[in-house]
Amino acid sequence: MENLDSAVENLIHGSNTLFILLGAIMVLAMHAGFAFLEVGTVRHKNQVNALSKILSDFAMSALAYFFVGYWIAYGVSFFEPAAVLTEDHGYPLVKFFFLLTFAAAIPAIISGGIAERARFGPQLCATLLIVAFVYPFFEGMIWNGNFGFQAWLSERFGAAFHDFAGSVVVHAMGGWLAFGAVLLLGARKGRYREGRLVAFAPSNIPFLALGSWILIIGWFGFNVMSAQTLGNVSGLVAVNSLMAMVGGTVAALVVGRNDPGFLHNGPLAGLVAICAGSDLMHPVGALVTGAIAGALFVWAFIATQVKWKLDDVLGVWPLHGLCGVWGGIACGIFGQQTLGGLGDVNLASQLVGTAAGVIVALVGGLVVYGLLKAVTGIRLSQEQEFYGADLSLHKIGANSQD
């Protein structure tokens, strides 16, 4: 019997390790989606730079999170003998890998907002600072109970802030960090003339669509495998993610009047919004949440570009910042049992937790990019921007004839 119990326990640990490893790989693949979404959206002279940023940012994120960020968030370091690290089939190591892919999504999100005019080196420095300090600070507050914030919410409102897969912890954080960076960078040269918007057409709609599809597929690893163990996996999360994605797609198609850029970002808006409450909502609530997010993205993208003259190239503040905020709030609405949800969530806690995420991200973005702007500068020269980041920084274009 003792041998049987040991075998069962060994099987459970091995299954959990494999489960979360597959999730980590799926979310890692999403970074290819971030890359191609940006490649397809920016002008041709900045495609190589987009690809280079995403991969380089991931590498910097891994270093920052391994040595500093994970310790800040969870109090865990990896300065242990390999024999200790490989206990339970190395599950703690693979959990780090999984959560790293979330942390690395932050600079990947920011990259799309600051595209075509940000300096390469300072952006890598920003990635190191954000993933080492800013993101783990809030991640630890929400997902590890650091600083007593969640305990205070539970005592005050009867429920902690609920964010199952990171509508606020990851996406709103990334979007509001990008907002600060975009404000400090300013608009691309020629984007506005005499106060009017000048259209910069996407360079490659098929690449943009490919990036969207890669992100959509990987998102099911992002959401479903946030359960982190095989025993906690829920089909509700998968179906809610699907319905939110569909709702966002249809809303963006209708409100965006068949524009392919809006269409392919609509499902992403829905998926951003459903992350927080995907384990609580009824699928109909998820559909409504996604539809509102898709429409919100289209409206906010147009408003930022045309009315407010905020040159957020990929619309990452509307997509991740605002739809992430909506996701945190929607969890507190559609997660209620009266609306078909599973309950154990409080709207007041969701509002306070979401506001806290916005404040940390916005202040963090302004501090990090403001510091780098003062010390090294964060923007390409006018000549570099004119010729494009590909030739100016990487000495090669996307095609051989460039």
Side-chain angles (χ1 to χ4, degrees):
M1 181 62 70
E2 184 176 337
N3 289 337
L4 179 60
D5 290 342
S6 177
V8 170
E9 185 177 356
N10 188 56
L11 179 62
I12 290 172
H13 288 311
S15 299
N16 287 337
T17 300
L18 178 61
F19 175 75
I20 200 169
L21 174 60
L22 292 174
I25 293 169
M26 289 182 71
V27 184
L28 175 62
M30 290 176 69
H31 289 265
F34 284 120
F36 278 99
L37 191 70
E38 185 172 338
V39 167
T41 304
V42 299
R43 289 169 291 178
H44 193 265
K45 62 184 179 179
N46 294 299
Q47 290 182 325
V48 172
N49 181 244
L51 293 168
S52 300
K53 278 192 300 177
I54 299 298
L55 182 56
S56 300
D57 276 337
F58 186 88
M60 294 299 106
S61 297
L63 294 174
Y65 201 61
F66 183 84
F67 287 107
V68 181
Y70 197 69
W71 173 75
I72 288 177
Y74 300 101
V76 175
S77 71
F78 298 105
F79 297 101
E80 301 281 352
V84 176
L85 297 177
T86 53
E87 291 178 355
D88 297 333
H89 293 268
Y91 178 83
L93 289 173
V94 178
K95 180 179 178 180
F96 154 77
F97 182 12
F98 181 67
L99 292 173
L100 161 65
T101 59
F102 282 53
I106 300 290
I109 290 168
I110 296 170
S111 176
I114 63 176
E116 300 203 304
R117 76 274 202 201
R119 291 180 61 196
F120 192 65
Q123 171 54 22
L124 296 182
C125 292
T127 294
L128 287 170
L129 293 171
I130 288 167
V131 179
F133 301 106
V134 181
Y135 170 72
F137 172 80
F138 188 69
E139 178 190 18
M141 281 178 56
I142 304 305
W143 284 344
N144 198 46
N146 296 353
F147 311 114
F149 180 70
Q150 290 283 45
W152 176 78
L153 288 176
S154 294
E155 183 179 351
R156 179 70 176 81
F157 301 112
F161 175 63
H162 189 88
D163 191 358
F164 179 69
S167 285
V168 177
V169 174
V170 178
H171 297 287
M173 282 286 291
W176 285 90
L177 279 160
F179 185 83
V182 169
L183 283 178
L184 290 170
L185 269 172
R188 289 167 288 176
K189 297 296 182 183
R191 182 60 166 160
Y192 300 98
R193 294 176 186 167
E194 299 178 355
R196 307 182 76 175
L197 177 71
V198 176
F200 286 178
S203 61
N204 194 308
I205 294 297
F207 275 169
L208 187 158
L210 175 63
S212 176
W213 272 108
I214 294 172
L215 286 167
I216 289 168
I217 294 167
W219 223 295
F220 286 86
F222 197 99
N223 283 4
V224 174
M225 291 173 176
S226 286
Q228 297 190 16
T229 62
L230 199 57
N232 290 327
V233 70
S234 171
L236 180 65
V237 177
V239 172
N240 279 346
S241 300
L242 174 68
M243 297 307 290
M245 183 269 285
V246 170
T249 303
V250 173
L253 176 66
V254 174
V255 179
R257 301 181 180 180
N258 302 329
D259 182 283
F262 290 143
L263 172 62
H264 286 93
N265 276 282
L268 308 183
L271 286 163
V272 165
I274 198 58
C275 287
S278 56
D279 63 326
L280 295 180
M281 294 185 192
H282 187 279
V284 175
L287 179 66
V288 175
T289 297
I292 292 174
L296 175 63
F297 168 73
V298 175
W299 172 82
F301 183 88
I302 294 172
T304 54
Q305 299 288 337
V306 178
K307 294 182 180 179
W308 306 331
K309 296 179 176 56
L310 182 69
D311 191 15
D312 178 351
V313 181
L314 268 67
V316 298
W317 179 66
L319 181 63
H320 298 274
L322 294 185
C323 291
V325 165
W326 162 237
I329 296 169
C331 177
I333 299 171
F334 295 106
Q336 303 285 347
Q337 289 183 338
T338 53
L339 291 177
L342 297 180
D344 197 26
V345 65
N346 181 277
L347 181 57
S349 289
Q350 295 304 113
L351 290 169
V352 174
T354 299
V358 170
I359 292 169
V360 170
L362 183 56
V363 172
L366 290 173
V367 169
V368 169
Y369 284 96
L371 177 64
L372 289 170
K373 183 176 182 179
V375 174
T376 68
I378 57 176
R379 181 158 183 155
L380 296 176
S381 69
Q382 189 167 344
E383 181 181 11
Q384 288 174 321
E385 189 175 341
F386 176 80
Y387 286 108
D390 292 359
L391 295 178
S392 298
L393 302 181
H394 307 286
K395 311 306 179 186
I396 191 170
N399 300 109
S400 58
Q401 64 266 28
D402 293 342

